[in-house]
Amino acid sequence: MSSQKPSIPKGTRDFSPAEMVRRNFIFDVIRNVFQVFGYQPIETPAMENLSTLMGKYGEEGDKLLFKILNSGNYLDGLPEAESGMRDAGSRLVHLTRHIAEKGLRYDLTVPFARFVVQHQNDLVFPFKRYQIQPVWRADRPQKGRYREFFQCDVDVIGSNSLLNEVELGQIIDTVFSRLGINVLIRLNNRKVLAGIAEAIGAPDKLTDITVAMDKLDKTGMDKVVDELIERGITYESVEKLQPILTLEGKIKEKFDTLTSFFANSTIGQKGIEEMRIVLQHLKDLDLKNKFDFDITLARGLSYYTGTIIEVKALDAAMGSICGGGRYDDLTGIFGLPGMSGVGISFGADRICDVMSELKLFPETLQAVSRVLFVNFGTEEEKYCLKQLADLRKAGIPAELYPDPSKLKKQMEYANRKNIPFVILVGKDEMEQGQMALKDMRSGEQKICTPGEVKQILSW
RNA sequence: GUGGUCGUAGCUCAGUUGGUUAGAGCGAUAGAUUGUGGAUCUAUAGGUCGUGGGUUCAAGCCCCAUCUUCCACCCCA
């Protein structure tokens, strides 16, 4: 029989017990914060109908969707004409439509929008929900980038109030404070970006402008100007844009400059006003982490319409570990117009990477028994089983070695698993109704009554 | 999708201009020690050198393809 080398798909990972303990620590903190802020959990299927997912993430997004081949003979009913399609690109699109109708979810926001529309009659609005589940992207893996990763989303839908933005800011601040990660929280507003596009006389080039602007901190002004020209922005417009790009200093000064810049742009004024309100509230709340207004922040999927948020770790080189924003009409495409929502997504895997790099995990994180009963044989087993049940009833994680193996082997087992205590019960101890409790750290061992054991272990 | 990079024992890695039977450390297993782990000593096991082709008298080493790892771009958590 030939054996194959075991492996998993590119960009996916197994998680060992030690890793799971750390991951669960993060999930627990995040879930706890979400709940304290009054959000309710939901889950949606790993796969969605492709029609739900396609076209929601831009051209690039469609390419990154994992598509699921139809079951059965998926070539059945393939129109003959398809094979005659001239270029491979459009042939692929048409083919895909016939052989795949499901795809793995790309994020949690679009499935959430679908969920809201589908269950609108059962939901109470504004609906505050959180969702912690894996998503899949057919990206090339690299640092902090996986093909399967967990997002932790919080959204509130059905409310235009900027208080929701403020609340999300508090959630971000609380989560990262609890995890011990220093972060910079950058805010911007799509309306400000639209205002800029309008003010420089290129309102139709919003996307091109934002994509180019976003690279400012990475590539520098020259490259950004090059790209703007390349994307068809006129010299005149670029010239008007430049002083805005280099805007620095206090938030208040930025506001002042932009307010005059937006003299003839109502949408720009609206954006500034929104930013002012959100940032003022956040300032009054006196949070631990720094919030900044950054007009070069353009990220976020194409469906964002208002506030956009991005969070980066200050002490580690890693992409954004949390991001989100407001979307005014995501449910519109599913037939429920006029429903504004705002939400953010924490990238659990990147947060985990950052915390590992910075050694921020508590050392006490472990998922092992507190005590191991050594197995001496049939008689002793029976006795230990009862003691074991008692300890477990008291909430003490405990286990009995399943085989009457050599003592050395059993002790080594406890040692390697980092089980801090071992209980040895042989004939003598059984007769006396006592147990030998050994501290694996110090090596000390003493005879105890069951009550004493419970007391020592329940510490 | 574009560009680069890695792959030799369970793990971390040596391996000369292509030349006999591919090595080390750690780990694993067994024993020294039949009711006591970590330390020490001894012995043992473990590799179709990522995979498939090619060049050569001869390939871990050279060439091609492919998969995988990691990194950058694009984009993003």
Side-chain angles (χ1 to χ4, degrees), chain A residues 137 143 145 299 320 406 415 440 445:
Chain A
R137 294 180 190 179
K143 183 171 184 172
R145 171 167 308 188
R299 303 203 155 188
S320 64
K406 286 186 179 171
N415 201 42
M440 292 298 278
Q445 183 174 326

PDB file of all heavy atoms in Angstrom, chain A residues 137 143 145 299 320 406 415 440 445, chain B residues 2 31 36-37 71-72 74-77:
ATOM      1  N   ARG A 137     -10.222  33.482   1.426  1.00  0.00           N
ATOM      2  CA  ARG A 137      -9.852  34.286   0.272  1.00  0.00           C
ATOM      3  C   ARG A 137      -8.751  33.576  -0.508  1.00  0.00           C
ATOM      4  O   ARG A 137      -7.773  33.133   0.085  1.00  0.00           O
ATOM      5  CB  ARG A 137      -9.371  35.673   0.700  1.00  0.00           C
ATOM      6  CG  ARG A 137     -10.481  36.475   1.324  1.00  0.00           C
ATOM      7  CD  ARG A 137     -10.067  37.853   1.759  1.00  0.00           C
ATOM      8  NE  ARG A 137     -11.140  38.447   2.552  1.00  0.00           N
ATOM      9  CZ  ARG A 137     -11.094  39.633   3.104  1.00  0.00           C
ATOM     10  NH1 ARG A 137     -10.023  40.379   2.953  1.00  0.00           N
ATOM     11  NH2 ARG A 137     -12.116  40.091   3.807  1.00  0.00           N
ATOM     12  N   LYS A 143       3.065  37.261   4.862  1.00  0.00           N
ATOM     13  CA  LYS A 143       3.025  37.624   6.270  1.00  0.00           C
ATOM     14  C   LYS A 143       1.656  38.184   6.661  1.00  0.00           C
ATOM     15  O   LYS A 143       1.193  39.165   6.084  1.00  0.00           O
ATOM     16  CB  LYS A 143       4.097  38.651   6.574  1.00  0.00           C
ATOM     17  CG  LYS A 143       4.130  38.998   8.039  1.00  0.00           C
ATOM     18  CD  LYS A 143       5.306  39.853   8.420  1.00  0.00           C
ATOM     19  CE  LYS A 143       5.288  40.056   9.932  1.00  0.00           C
ATOM     20  NZ  LYS A 143       6.478  40.716  10.413  1.00  0.00           N
ATOM     21  N   ARG A 145      -1.112  37.043   6.147  1.00  0.00           N
ATOM     22  CA  ARG A 145      -2.164  36.826   5.153  1.00  0.00           C
ATOM     23  C   ARG A 145      -2.387  35.341   4.951  1.00  0.00           C
ATOM     24  O   ARG A 145      -1.478  34.616   4.577  1.00  0.00           O
ATOM     25  CB  ARG A 145      -1.768  37.482   3.836  1.00  0.00           C
ATOM     26  CG  ARG A 145      -2.705  37.121   2.710  1.00  0.00           C
ATOM     27  CD  ARG A 145      -2.496  38.000   1.529  1.00  0.00           C
ATOM     28  NE  ARG A 145      -2.545  39.403   1.899  1.00  0.00           N
ATOM     29  CZ  ARG A 145      -2.543  40.377   1.012  1.00  0.00           C
ATOM     30  NH1 ARG A 145      -2.483  40.109  -0.267  1.00  0.00           N
ATOM     31  NH2 ARG A 145      -2.592  41.628   1.412  1.00  0.00           N
ATOM     32  N   ARG A 299      -8.905  53.149   2.758  1.00  0.00           N
ATOM     33  CA  ARG A 299      -9.197  51.722   2.667  1.00  0.00           C
ATOM     34  C   ARG A 299     -10.635  51.399   2.976  1.00  0.00           C
ATOM     35  O   ARG A 299     -11.446  52.238   3.291  1.00  0.00           O
ATOM     36  CB  ARG A 299      -8.285  50.965   3.606  1.00  0.00           C
ATOM     37  CG  ARG A 299      -6.880  51.246   3.288  1.00  0.00           C
ATOM     38  CD  ARG A 299      -6.017  50.175   3.767  1.00  0.00           C
ATOM     39  NE  ARG A 299      -4.808  50.177   2.958  1.00  0.00           N
ATOM     40  CZ  ARG A 299      -3.895  49.254   3.019  1.00  0.00           C
ATOM     41  NH1 ARG A 299      -4.059  48.247   3.822  1.00  0.00           N
ATOM     42  NH2 ARG A 299      -2.842  49.308   2.274  1.00  0.00           N
ATOM     43  N   SER A 320      -3.207  45.995   8.784  1.00  0.00           N
ATOM     44  CA  SER A 320      -4.225  46.397   9.749  1.00  0.00           C
ATOM     45  C   SER A 320      -4.786  45.178  10.475  1.00  0.00           C
ATOM     46  O   SER A 320      -4.955  44.110   9.905  1.00  0.00           O
ATOM     47  CB  SER A 320      -5.335  47.153   9.045  1.00  0.00           C
ATOM     48  OG  SER A 320      -5.994  46.325   8.120  1.00  0.00           O
ATOM     49  N   LYS A 406       4.618   1.527  33.281  1.00  0.00           N
ATOM     50  CA  LYS A 406       5.703   1.761  34.222  1.00  0.00           C
ATOM     51  C   LYS A 406       5.597   3.164  34.787  1.00  0.00           C
ATOM     52  O   LYS A 406       5.235   4.113  34.087  1.00  0.00           O
ATOM     53  CB  LYS A 406       7.038   1.625  33.503  1.00  0.00           C
ATOM     54  CG  LYS A 406       7.389   0.202  33.199  1.00  0.00           C
ATOM     55  CD  LYS A 406       8.782   0.132  32.626  1.00  0.00           C
ATOM     56  CE  LYS A 406       9.114  -1.328  32.347  1.00  0.00           C
ATOM     57  NZ  LYS A 406      10.351  -1.470  31.602  1.00  0.00           N
ATOM     58  N   ASN A 415       4.985  15.080  33.364  1.00  0.00           N
ATOM     59  CA  ASN A 415       6.041  16.067  33.222  1.00  0.00           C
ATOM     60  C   ASN A 415       5.957  16.778  31.882  1.00  0.00           C
ATOM     61  O   ASN A 415       5.997  18.002  31.798  1.00  0.00           O
ATOM     62  CB  ASN A 415       7.385  15.356  33.342  1.00  0.00           C
ATOM     63  CG  ASN A 415       8.489  16.309  33.717  1.00  0.00           C
ATOM     64  OD1 ASN A 415       8.287  17.163  34.569  1.00  0.00           O
ATOM     65  ND2 ASN A 415       9.609  16.178  33.064  1.00  0.00           N
ATOM     66  N   MET A 440       5.052  18.347  41.152  1.00  0.00           N
ATOM     67  CA  MET A 440       6.049  18.051  40.122  1.00  0.00           C
ATOM     68  C   MET A 440       7.088  19.157  39.975  1.00  0.00           C
ATOM     69  O   MET A 440       8.155  18.939  39.401  1.00  0.00           O
ATOM     70  CB  MET A 440       5.349  17.818  38.780  1.00  0.00           C
ATOM     71  CG  MET A 440       4.518  16.563  38.739  1.00  0.00           C
ATOM     72  SD  MET A 440       5.496  15.076  38.991  1.00  0.00           S
ATOM     73  CE  MET A 440       6.142  14.831  37.335  1.00  0.00           C
ATOM     74  N   GLN A 445       6.671  15.562  48.134  1.00  0.00           N
ATOM     75  CA  GLN A 445       5.570  14.613  48.144  1.00  0.00           C
ATOM     76  C   GLN A 445       5.102  14.402  49.561  1.00  0.00           C
ATOM     77  O   GLN A 445       5.892  14.281  50.468  1.00  0.00           O
ATOM     78  CB  GLN A 445       6.060  13.283  47.558  1.00  0.00           C
ATOM     79  CG  GLN A 445       4.977  12.234  47.456  1.00  0.00           C
ATOM     80  CD  GLN A 445       5.500  10.999  46.725  1.00  0.00           C
ATOM     81  OE1 GLN A 445       6.317  11.107  45.828  1.00  0.00           O
ATOM     82  NE2 GLN A 445       5.027   9.838  47.118  1.00  0.00           N
TER      83      GLN A 445
ATOM     84  P     U B   2       1.247  35.173 -13.467  1.00  0.00           P
ATOM     85  OP1   U B   2       1.710  34.723 -14.784  1.00  0.00           O
ATOM     86  OP2   U B   2       1.244  34.234 -12.317  1.00  0.00           O
ATOM     87  O5'   U B   2       2.077  36.462 -13.058  1.00  0.00           O
ATOM     88  C5'   U B   2       2.199  37.545 -13.959  1.00  0.00           C
ATOM     89  C4'   U B   2       3.071  38.620 -13.367  1.00  0.00           C
ATOM     90  O4'   U B   2       2.393  39.233 -12.238  1.00  0.00           O
ATOM     91  C3'   U B   2       4.394  38.126 -12.784  1.00  0.00           C
ATOM     92  O3'   U B   2       5.391  37.940 -13.775  1.00  0.00           O
ATOM     93  C2'   U B   2       4.742  39.246 -11.809  1.00  0.00           C
ATOM     94  O2'   U B   2       5.273  40.374 -12.475  1.00  0.00           O
ATOM     95  C1'   U B   2       3.352  39.609 -11.261  1.00  0.00           C
ATOM     96  N1    U B   2       3.067  38.868 -10.014  1.00  0.00           N
ATOM     97  C2    U B   2       3.636  39.351  -8.847  1.00  0.00           C
ATOM     98  O2    U B   2       4.343  40.333  -8.809  1.00  0.00           O
ATOM     99  N3    U B   2       3.343  38.630  -7.716  1.00  0.00           N
ATOM    100  C4    U B   2       2.550  37.492  -7.637  1.00  0.00           C
ATOM    101  O4    U B   2       2.374  36.965  -6.555  1.00  0.00           O
ATOM    102  C5    U B   2       2.004  37.062  -8.889  1.00  0.00           C
ATOM    103  C6    U B   2       2.272  37.751 -10.007  1.00  0.00           C
ATOM    104  P     G B  31      12.626  -0.862  29.232  1.00  0.00           P
ATOM    105  OP1   G B  31      11.960  -2.059  29.801  1.00  0.00           O
ATOM    106  OP2   G B  31      12.094   0.489  29.506  1.00  0.00           O
ATOM    107  O5'   G B  31      14.166  -0.884  29.626  1.00  0.00           O
ATOM    108  C5'   G B  31      14.885  -2.106  29.654  1.00  0.00           C
ATOM    109  C4'   G B  31      16.360  -1.851  29.768  1.00  0.00           C
ATOM    110  O4'   G B  31      16.773  -0.855  28.814  1.00  0.00           O
ATOM    111  C3'   G B  31      16.864  -1.286  31.085  1.00  0.00           C
ATOM    112  O3'   G B  31      16.920  -2.267  32.095  1.00  0.00           O
ATOM    113  C2'   G B  31      18.237  -0.793  30.688  1.00  0.00           C
ATOM    114  O2'   G B  31      19.150  -1.851  30.554  1.00  0.00           O
ATOM    115  C1'   G B  31      17.948  -0.210  29.294  1.00  0.00           C
ATOM    116  N9    G B  31      17.732   1.238  29.358  1.00  0.00           N
ATOM    117  C8    G B  31      16.538   1.916  29.258  1.00  0.00           C
ATOM    118  N7    G B  31      16.692   3.216  29.354  1.00  0.00           N
ATOM    119  C5    G B  31      18.060   3.397  29.537  1.00  0.00           C
ATOM    120  C6    G B  31      18.833   4.580  29.711  1.00  0.00           C
ATOM    121  O6    G B  31      18.441   5.749  29.737  1.00  0.00           O
ATOM    122  N1    G B  31      20.186   4.305  29.858  1.00  0.00           N
ATOM    123  C2    G B  31      20.736   3.047  29.859  1.00  0.00           C
ATOM    124  N2    G B  31      22.066   2.997  30.017  1.00  0.00           N
ATOM    125  N3    G B  31      20.039   1.943  29.696  1.00  0.00           N
ATOM    126  C4    G B  31      18.721   2.186  29.540  1.00  0.00           C
ATOM    127  P     U B  36      10.852   3.736  42.427  1.00  0.00           P
ATOM    128  OP1   U B  36      11.038   2.617  41.475  1.00  0.00           O
ATOM    129  OP2   U B  36      11.822   3.961  43.520  1.00  0.00           O
ATOM    130  O5'   U B  36      10.756   5.072  41.569  1.00  0.00           O
ATOM    131  C5'   U B  36      10.035   5.081  40.319  1.00  0.00           C
ATOM    132  C4'   U B  36       9.709   6.512  39.976  1.00  0.00           C
ATOM    133  O4'   U B  36       8.523   6.925  40.687  1.00  0.00           O
ATOM    134  C3'   U B  36      10.813   7.486  40.362  1.00  0.00           C
ATOM    135  O3'   U B  36      10.893   8.486  39.363  1.00  0.00           O
ATOM    136  C2'   U B  36      10.324   8.085  41.674  1.00  0.00           C
ATOM    137  O2'   U B  36      10.774   9.392  41.882  1.00  0.00           O
ATOM    138  C1'   U B  36       8.804   8.075  41.460  1.00  0.00           C
ATOM    139  N1    U B  36       8.046   7.955  42.706  1.00  0.00           N
ATOM    140  C2    U B  36       7.464   9.114  43.206  1.00  0.00           C
ATOM    141  O2    U B  36       7.563  10.199  42.658  1.00  0.00           O
ATOM    142  N3    U B  36       6.757   8.940  44.369  1.00  0.00           N
ATOM    143  C4    U B  36       6.577   7.770  45.054  1.00  0.00           C
ATOM    144  O4    U B  36       5.906   7.762  46.085  1.00  0.00           O
ATOM    145  C5    U B  36       7.218   6.623  44.474  1.00  0.00           C
ATOM    146  C6    U B  36       7.920   6.752  43.345  1.00  0.00           C
ATOM    147  P     G B  37      12.137   8.450  38.388  1.00  0.00           P
ATOM    148  OP1   G B  37      12.201   7.161  37.683  1.00  0.00           O
ATOM    149  OP2   G B  37      13.331   8.938  39.118  1.00  0.00           O
ATOM    150  O5'   G B  37      11.703   9.577  37.375  1.00  0.00           O
ATOM    151  C5'   G B  37      10.918   9.231  36.243  1.00  0.00           C
ATOM    152  C4'   G B  37      10.466  10.481  35.554  1.00  0.00           C
ATOM    153  O4'   G B  37       9.451  11.139  36.337  1.00  0.00           O
ATOM    154  C3'   G B  37      11.555  11.539  35.396  1.00  0.00           C
ATOM    155  O3'   G B  37      12.313  11.262  34.244  1.00  0.00           O
ATOM    156  C2'   G B  37      10.748  12.809  35.238  1.00  0.00           C
ATOM    157  O2'   G B  37      10.203  12.924  33.947  1.00  0.00           O
ATOM    158  C1'   G B  37       9.585  12.537  36.203  1.00  0.00           C
ATOM    159  N9    G B  37       9.779  13.108  37.535  1.00  0.00           N
ATOM    160  C8    G B  37      10.171  12.452  38.660  1.00  0.00           C
ATOM    161  N7    G B  37      10.200  13.220  39.723  1.00  0.00           N
ATOM    162  C5    G B  37       9.806  14.469  39.245  1.00  0.00           C
ATOM    163  C6    G B  37       9.639  15.707  39.918  1.00  0.00           C
ATOM    164  O6    G B  37       9.814  15.950  41.112  1.00  0.00           O
ATOM    165  N1    G B  37       9.235  16.718  39.052  1.00  0.00           N
ATOM    166  C2    G B  37       9.020  16.563  37.717  1.00  0.00           C
ATOM    167  N2    G B  37       8.657  17.649  37.059  1.00  0.00           N
ATOM    168  N3    G B  37       9.163  15.419  37.066  1.00  0.00           N
ATOM    169  C4    G B  37       9.546  14.425  37.894  1.00  0.00           C
ATOM    170  P     C B  71       5.993  35.787   5.693  1.00  0.00           P
ATOM    171  OP1   C B  71       6.042  36.535   6.963  1.00  0.00           O
ATOM    172  OP2   C B  71       4.705  35.307   5.154  1.00  0.00           O
ATOM    173  O5'   C B  71       6.701  36.632   4.545  1.00  0.00           O
ATOM    174  C5'   C B  71       7.897  37.326   4.827  1.00  0.00           C
ATOM    175  C4'   C B  71       8.443  37.985   3.579  1.00  0.00           C
ATOM    176  O4'   C B  71       8.698  36.991   2.554  1.00  0.00           O
ATOM    177  C3'   C B  71       7.532  38.967   2.851  1.00  0.00           C
ATOM    178  O3'   C B  71       7.433  40.212   3.512  1.00  0.00           O
ATOM    179  C2'   C B  71       8.241  39.070   1.509  1.00  0.00           C
ATOM    180  O2'   C B  71       9.398  39.870   1.604  1.00  0.00           O
ATOM    181  C1'   C B  71       8.650  37.623   1.280  1.00  0.00           C
ATOM    182  N1    C B  71       7.691  36.921   0.401  1.00  0.00           N
ATOM    183  C2    C B  71       7.804  37.139  -0.982  1.00  0.00           C
ATOM    184  O2    C B  71       8.708  37.884  -1.382  1.00  0.00           O
ATOM    185  N3    C B  71       6.938  36.538  -1.809  1.00  0.00           N
ATOM    186  C4    C B  71       5.986  35.754  -1.333  1.00  0.00           C
ATOM    187  N4    C B  71       5.150  35.183  -2.212  1.00  0.00           N
ATOM    188  C5    C B  71       5.836  35.510   0.074  1.00  0.00           C
ATOM    189  C6    C B  71       6.708  36.116   0.899  1.00  0.00           C
ATOM    190  P     A B  72       6.159  41.106   3.317  1.00  0.00           P
ATOM    191  OP1   A B  72       6.237  42.189   4.318  1.00  0.00           O
ATOM    192  OP2   A B  72       4.975  40.233   3.249  1.00  0.00           O
ATOM    193  O5'   A B  72       6.379  41.734   1.859  1.00  0.00           O
ATOM    194  C5'   A B  72       7.405  42.690   1.653  1.00  0.00           C
ATOM    195  C4'   A B  72       7.529  43.009   0.185  1.00  0.00           C
ATOM    196  O4'   A B  72       7.826  41.799  -0.558  1.00  0.00           O
ATOM    197  C3'   A B  72       6.274  43.540  -0.503  1.00  0.00           C
ATOM    198  O3'   A B  72       6.040  44.909  -0.234  1.00  0.00           O
ATOM    199  C2'   A B  72       6.609  43.285  -1.969  1.00  0.00           C
ATOM    200  O2'   A B  72       7.540  44.222  -2.446  1.00  0.00           O
ATOM    201  C1'   A B  72       7.295  41.922  -1.873  1.00  0.00           C
ATOM    202  N9    A B  72       6.327  40.839  -2.098  1.00  0.00           N
ATOM    203  C8    A B  72       5.706  40.031  -1.179  1.00  0.00           C
ATOM    204  N7    A B  72       4.872  39.164  -1.712  1.00  0.00           N
ATOM    205  C5    A B  72       4.944  39.426  -3.078  1.00  0.00           C
ATOM    206  C6    A B  72       4.306  38.860  -4.192  1.00  0.00           C
ATOM    207  N6    A B  72       3.424  37.869  -4.114  1.00  0.00           N
ATOM    208  N1    A B  72       4.606  39.362  -5.409  1.00  0.00           N
ATOM    209  C2    A B  72       5.492  40.367  -5.499  1.00  0.00           C
ATOM    210  N3    A B  72       6.159  40.979  -4.522  1.00  0.00           N
ATOM    211  C4    A B  72       5.843  40.458  -3.324  1.00  0.00           C
ATOM    212  P     C B  74       1.205  48.001  -4.009  1.00  0.00           P
ATOM    213  OP1   C B  74       1.098  49.405  -4.434  1.00  0.00           O
ATOM    214  OP2   C B  74       1.157  47.658  -2.570  1.00  0.00           O
ATOM    215  O5'   C B  74       0.085  47.154  -4.754  1.00  0.00           O
ATOM    216  C5'   C B  74      -0.283  47.456  -6.093  1.00  0.00           C
ATOM    217  C4'   C B  74      -1.326  46.486  -6.567  1.00  0.00           C
ATOM    218  O4'   C B  74      -0.792  45.139  -6.467  1.00  0.00           O
ATOM    219  C3'   C B  74      -2.601  46.438  -5.733  1.00  0.00           C
ATOM    220  O3'   C B  74      -3.515  47.462  -6.089  1.00  0.00           O
ATOM    221  C2'   C B  74      -3.129  45.048  -6.069  1.00  0.00           C
ATOM    222  O2'   C B  74      -3.772  45.030  -7.324  1.00  0.00           O
ATOM    223  C1'   C B  74      -1.831  44.236  -6.152  1.00  0.00           C
ATOM    224  N1    C B  74      -1.521  43.574  -4.868  1.00  0.00           N
ATOM    225  C2    C B  74      -2.114  42.334  -4.599  1.00  0.00           C
ATOM    226  O2    C B  74      -2.872  41.839  -5.442  1.00  0.00           O
ATOM    227  N3    C B  74      -1.850  41.710  -3.416  1.00  0.00           N
ATOM    228  C4    C B  74      -1.033  42.282  -2.533  1.00  0.00           C
ATOM    229  N4    C B  74      -0.808  41.633  -1.393  1.00  0.00           N
ATOM    230  C5    C B  74      -0.426  43.547  -2.777  1.00  0.00           C
ATOM    231  C6    C B  74      -0.693  44.151  -3.946  1.00  0.00           C
ATOM    232  P     C B  75      -4.055  48.436  -4.953  1.00  0.00           P
ATOM    233  OP1   C B  75      -4.969  49.364  -5.632  1.00  0.00           O
ATOM    234  OP2   C B  75      -2.926  48.968  -4.168  1.00  0.00           O
ATOM    235  O5'   C B  75      -4.902  47.477  -4.025  1.00  0.00           O
ATOM    236  C5'   C B  75      -6.208  47.037  -4.438  1.00  0.00           C
ATOM    237  C4'   C B  75      -6.577  45.767  -3.727  1.00  0.00           C
ATOM    238  O4'   C B  75      -5.415  44.893  -3.670  1.00  0.00           O
ATOM    239  C3'   C B  75      -6.973  45.891  -2.260  1.00  0.00           C
ATOM    240  O3'   C B  75      -8.308  46.311  -2.105  1.00  0.00           O
ATOM    241  C2'   C B  75      -6.758  44.471  -1.777  1.00  0.00           C
ATOM    242  O2'   C B  75      -7.787  43.618  -2.231  1.00  0.00           O
ATOM    243  C1'   C B  75      -5.471  44.103  -2.510  1.00  0.00           C
ATOM    244  N1    C B  75      -4.285  44.372  -1.669  1.00  0.00           N
ATOM    245  C2    C B  75      -3.911  43.385  -0.744  1.00  0.00           C
ATOM    246  O2    C B  75      -4.597  42.347  -0.684  1.00  0.00           O
ATOM    247  N3    C B  75      -2.837  43.591   0.044  1.00  0.00           N
ATOM    248  C4    C B  75      -2.144  44.719  -0.046  1.00  0.00           C
ATOM    249  N4    C B  75      -1.093  44.873   0.762  1.00  0.00           N
ATOM    250  C5    C B  75      -2.503  45.747  -0.971  1.00  0.00           C
ATOM    251  C6    C B  75      -3.578  45.531  -1.756  1.00  0.00           C
ATOM    252  P     C B  76      -8.733  47.045  -0.770  1.00  0.00           P
ATOM    253  OP1   C B  76     -10.190  47.170  -0.846  1.00  0.00           O
ATOM    254  OP2   C B  76      -7.901  48.245  -0.568  1.00  0.00           O
ATOM    255  O5'   C B  76      -8.367  45.984   0.344  1.00  0.00           O
ATOM    256  C5'   C B  76      -9.393  45.381   1.112  1.00  0.00           C
ATOM    257  C4'   C B  76      -8.897  44.105   1.722  1.00  0.00           C
ATOM    258  O4'   C B  76      -7.529  43.888   1.302  1.00  0.00           O
ATOM    259  C3'   C B  76      -8.803  44.108   3.233  1.00  0.00           C
ATOM    260  O3'   C B  76     -10.036  43.730   3.821  1.00  0.00           O
ATOM    261  C2'   C B  76      -7.738  43.052   3.498  1.00  0.00           C
ATOM    262  O2'   C B  76      -8.270  41.751   3.413  1.00  0.00           O
ATOM    263  C1'   C B  76      -6.782  43.264   2.313  1.00  0.00           C
ATOM    264  N1    C B  76      -5.622  44.103   2.639  1.00  0.00           N
ATOM    265  C2    C B  76      -4.651  43.604   3.524  1.00  0.00           C
ATOM    266  O2    C B  76      -4.819  42.479   4.022  1.00  0.00           O
ATOM    267  N3    C B  76      -3.570  44.357   3.810  1.00  0.00           N
ATOM    268  C4    C B  76      -3.421  45.556   3.261  1.00  0.00           C
ATOM    269  N4    C B  76      -2.339  46.267   3.574  1.00  0.00           N
ATOM    270  C5    C B  76      -4.390  46.102   2.369  1.00  0.00           C
ATOM    271  C6    C B  76      -5.462  45.346   2.093  1.00  0.00           C
ATOM    272  P     A B  77     -10.473  44.387   5.226  1.00  0.00           P
ATOM    273  OP1   A B  77     -11.928  44.438   5.245  1.00  0.00           O
ATOM    274  OP2   A B  77      -9.713  45.638   5.407  1.00  0.00           O
ATOM    275  O5'   A B  77      -9.949  43.380   6.332  1.00  0.00           O
ATOM    276  C5'   A B  77     -10.522  43.462   7.628  1.00  0.00           C
ATOM    277  C4'   A B  77      -9.537  42.848   8.614  1.00  0.00           C
ATOM    278  O4'   A B  77      -9.380  41.447   8.319  1.00  0.00           O
ATOM    279  C3'   A B  77      -8.164  43.492   8.471  1.00  0.00           C
ATOM    280  O3'   A B  77      -7.992  44.440   9.510  1.00  0.00           O
ATOM    281  C2'   A B  77      -7.181  42.341   8.564  1.00  0.00           C
ATOM    282  O2'   A B  77      -6.549  42.299   9.799  1.00  0.00           O
ATOM    283  C1'   A B  77      -8.036  41.084   8.385  1.00  0.00           C
ATOM    284  N9    A B  77      -7.663  40.401   7.160  1.00  0.00           N
ATOM    285  C8    A B  77      -8.032  40.696   5.885  1.00  0.00           C
ATOM    286  N7    A B  77      -7.536  39.881   4.994  1.00  0.00           N
ATOM    287  C5    A B  77      -6.778  38.987   5.733  1.00  0.00           C
ATOM    288  C6    A B  77      -5.985  37.884   5.378  1.00  0.00           C
ATOM    289  N6    A B  77      -5.843  37.476   4.116  1.00  0.00           N
ATOM    290  N1    A B  77      -5.360  37.205   6.366  1.00  0.00           N
ATOM    291  C2    A B  77      -5.513  37.627   7.625  1.00  0.00           C
ATOM    292  N3    A B  77      -6.227  38.649   8.088  1.00  0.00           N
ATOM    293  C4    A B  77      -6.846  39.297   7.074  1.00  0.00           C
TER     294        A B  77
END
